Amino acid sequence: MSIVVIGGGWAGCSAAVTARKVGEEVLLLERTDMLLGLGNVGGIMRNNGRYTLTEECIAMGAGELFHITDRCATHHGVDFPGHRHASFYNVKKVEPQVRRLLTEMGIKVEFCLRVTEVIKDADGLIKAVRDADGRTFSADAFVDATGTTGPMGNCMEYGKGCSMCILRCPAFGPRVSISEKAGGSDYYGIRADGTPGAFSGSCKLDIDSLAPQIKEKLHDDGFAVIPLPKNMINEEKLHQKVCRQYALQEFADNIILIDTGHAKMMTPYFPLAELRKIDGFENVMFADPYGGGKGNSIRYMACTERNSELQVKGTENLFCGGEKAGTFVGHTEAIATGALAGYNAARYVRKKELLHLTEETALGALIEYQQKHREMVTCAGDRFFRYMKEQNLYTTNKDKIAERVSKAGLTDVFCLC
């Protein structure tokens, strides 16, 4: 293989796709038995500045995964508290379509395989990685897309114990940081109170366990807002969650549900006994995390030092994307950074200059902003979305986005090497 990608979440899949599109032989190694990781419980796309970043990536030639989420959307163009023109994909439908895409592209995927060791040569380059069963996988370049959630010890120490989330560490083993194994330097994000990491920002409810009137509202509008009694409002949770774009007062004062095939509840956790006291939730059940009445997974415990080209510092032939590349929040951000990581890995293999995206692009601005501020950043809200507006980067005009990409000489760049 020319390139080995470790981690099959949105970032890893995106890296594999761009590397393969320019002609490299790609092997994707995934710890669990499913692709997409947290993408199997997310589902919100195109909200606020993510619309711009999505269309920019499409114009740059990295549209395959965005086209899948668009096709699997339950609703398009939804305005909900603090967010405009969002689409919600069905989390039950996306993973099989992504798996088929990789197969059709000729990307080899190995599941239930946990990489635990890095083998380097005398020059400090990675020549192979080894899994927990002793198998080795050689390549010319590697992409670390292992994410930042897990192992279980982090959720025990900085959260409220293992919440039995979609990443399933007890079943498939703990995450291992490839960048750290290669000699890189990992760091963690912090909450407002200085605690390492942050709770995943939402959890899933079984949509059939909700009252008919709530199910109907979700089906018709794509979201539902249910006011909370004053004694149930918990503003502290706003400061614990990773998704700063949803750290708005409306998300403390109300239960906000999104239709993603399940009912996505926009809060990290909610005591089940209390939740069932609310009209329409008398029979409610958590779908993921199953311990969502108590806690959630802890993220941002292993971001790695990298340069603007997403090359891991200290290891020339290792690249990174998604949360591994910094405190990025969201599927759109993972797909976008993964695309650049995979593309630059391919350019490295071909001994070509790595692609550097300037801040004239939304993706370039996102990467540089996170590098500079080291805070949780997303195109969907909080400080970076305001920055996008200030820099005249935010727009929903597809023609303007395509024109900007063209002027930068980046049209279909991810298809060329």
Side-chain angles (χ1 to χ4, degrees), residues 21-73:
K21 281 172 67 174
V22 297
E24 298 304 320
E25 294 296 319
V26 181
L27 171 63
L28 176 62
L29 305 177
E30 165 55 32
R31 180 179 60 89
T32 72
D33 58 355
M34 293 177 66
L35 297 173
L36 302 189
L38 294 171
N40 289 301
V41 295
I44 301 178
M45 306 291 288
R46 291 185 175 270
N47 49 326
N48 293 346
R50 286 180 180 155
Y51 192 103
T52 306
L53 183 57
T54 295
E55 289 300 326
E56 183 177 280
C57 286
I58 292 171
M60 292 167 65
E64 290 83 358
L65 298 179
F66 293 115
H67 295 323
I68 288 176
T69 59
D70 283 344
R71 288 198 303 269
C72 293

Side-chain angles (χ1 to χ4, degrees), residues 116-118 120 176-184 186:
T116 58
E117 295 181 57
V118 169
K120 302 179 81 170
V176 174
S177 171
I178 303 308
S179 299
E180 193 170 53
K181 287 285 184 178
D186 282 357

Side-chain angles (χ1 to χ4, degrees), residues 38 41-42 50 83 148-149 188-192 195-203 236-248 264 266-269 296-301 303 322-323 326-331 333 375-383:
L38 294 171
V41 295
R50 286 180 180 155
H83 298 264
T148 64
T149 304
Y188 51 77
I190 58 172
R191 298 172 222 170
T195 304
F199 280 100
S200 287
S202 62
C203 46
E236 176 59 27
K237 284 194 286 187
L238 295 179
H239 307 296
Q240 298 176 349
K241 63 192 297 183
V242 61
C243 305
R244 305 309 305 156
Q245 69 272 28
Y246 307 122
L248 307 172
K264 181 181 175 77
M266 307 300 289
T267 187
Y269 55 89
N296 210 320
S297 58
I298 296 295
R299 292 158 61 186
Y300 299 106
M301 294 304 300
C303 305
E323 289 183 10
T327 45
F328 298 111
V329 181
H331 308 324
E333 292 81 354
E375 62 188 34
M376 296 172 195
V377 296
T378 171
C379 296
D382 207 33
R383 289 177 57 187

Side-chain angles (χ1 to χ4, degrees), residues 37-354:
L38 294 171
N40 289 301
V41 295
I44 301 178
M45 306 291 288
R46 291 185 175 270
N47 49 326
N48 293 346
R50 286 180 180 155
Y51 192 103
T52 306
L53 183 57
T54 295
E55 289 300 326
E56 183 177 280
C57 286
I58 292 171
M60 292 167 65
E64 290 83 358
L65 298 179
F66 293 115
H67 295 323
I68 288 176
T69 59
D70 283 344
R71 288 198 303 269
C72 293
T74 59
H75 294 80
H76 298 270
V78 178
D79 295 341
F80 66 101
H83 298 264
R84 299 184 60 200
H85 48 72
S87 64
F88 309 139
Y89 71 72
N90 189 323
V91 297
K92 302 174 186 178
K93 295 182 178 180
V94 167
E95 194 271 350
Q97 292 203 26
V98 172
R99 192 181 293 216
R100 283 193 288 272
L101 171 69
L102 300 190
T103 300
E104 291 166 0
M105 293 185 68
I107 297 168
K108 186 178 180 182
V109 183
E110 296 241 7
F111 291 97
C112 302
L113 188 152
R114 191 167 65 94
V115 175
T116 58
E117 295 181 57
V118 169
I119 303 168
K120 302 179 81 170
D121 63 18
D123 296 320
L125 298 177
I126 301 176
K127 64 179 184 179
V129 293
R130 180 177 290 130
D131 76 353
D133 295 323
R135 291 179 292 172
T136 59
F137 304 89
S138 303
D140 299 312
F142 299 79
V143 177
D144 184 356
T146 55
T148 64
T149 304
M152 283 176 58
N154 286 332
C155 293
M156 299 293 290
E157 185 171 358
Y158 301 112
K160 297 185 177 182
C162 175
S163 64
M164 297 174 280
C165 74
I166 194 69
L167 298 179
R168 300 170 291 168
C169 298
F172 295 101
R175 172 194 56 79
V176 174
S177 171
I178 303 308
S179 299
E180 193 170 53
K181 287 285 184 178
S185 178
D186 282 357
Y187 64 94
Y188 51 77
I190 58 172
R191 298 172 222 170
D193 65 359
T195 304
F199 280 100
S200 287
S202 62
C203 46
K204 293 187 310 186
L205 304 178
D206 182 343
I207 202 165
D208 290 325
S209 68
L210 298 170
Q213 67 271 20
I214 298 178
K215 291 171 59 177
E216 183 177 350
K217 177 72 172 173
L218 288 172
H219 179 270
D220 292 345
D221 299 338
F223 74 100
V225 178
I226 297 95
L228 282 169
K230 287 188 177 181
N231 65 322
M232 289 190 183
I233 294 174
N234 182 355
E235 295 182 0
E236 176 59 27
K237 284 194 286 187
L238 295 179
H239 307 296
Q240 298 176 349
K241 63 192 297 183
V242 61
C243 305
R244 305 309 305 156
Q245 69 272 28
Y246 307 122
L248 307 172
Q249 190 61 42
E250 294 98 319
F251 290 81
D253 295 343
N254 305 280
I255 292 177
I256 297 180
L257 302 177
I258 306 292
D259 178 14
T260 62
H262 293 286
K264 181 181 175 77
M265 184 167 65
M266 307 300 289
T267 187
Y269 55 89
F270 203 114
L272 182 59
E274 295 299 305
L275 189 58
R276 286 181 171 174
K277 293 177 181 178
I278 300 168
D279 288 346
F281 292 81
E282 292 85 356
N283 302 307
V284 73
M285 299 285 290
F286 282 95
D288 182 278
Y290 285 98
K294 176 183 177 184
N296 210 320
S297 58
I298 296 295
R299 292 158 61 186
Y300 299 106
M301 294 304 300
C303 305
T304 199
E305 300 285 356
R306 45 81 182 168
N307 62 21
S308 299
E309 292 76 36
L310 303 187
Q311 187 178 38
V312 174
K313 290 186 176 180
T315 307
E316 188 178 301
N317 65 335
L318 178 61
F319 298 80
C320 58
E323 289 183 10
K324 196 67 197 174
T327 45
F328 298 111
V329 181
H331 308 324
T332 305
E333 292 81 354
I335 295 170
T337 56
L340 180 60
Y343 181 70
N344 272 339
R347 292 189 69 86
Y348 173 85
V349 168
R350 298 188 178 199
K351 297 180 170 54
K352 293 191 175 184
E353 182 180 356
L354 302 182

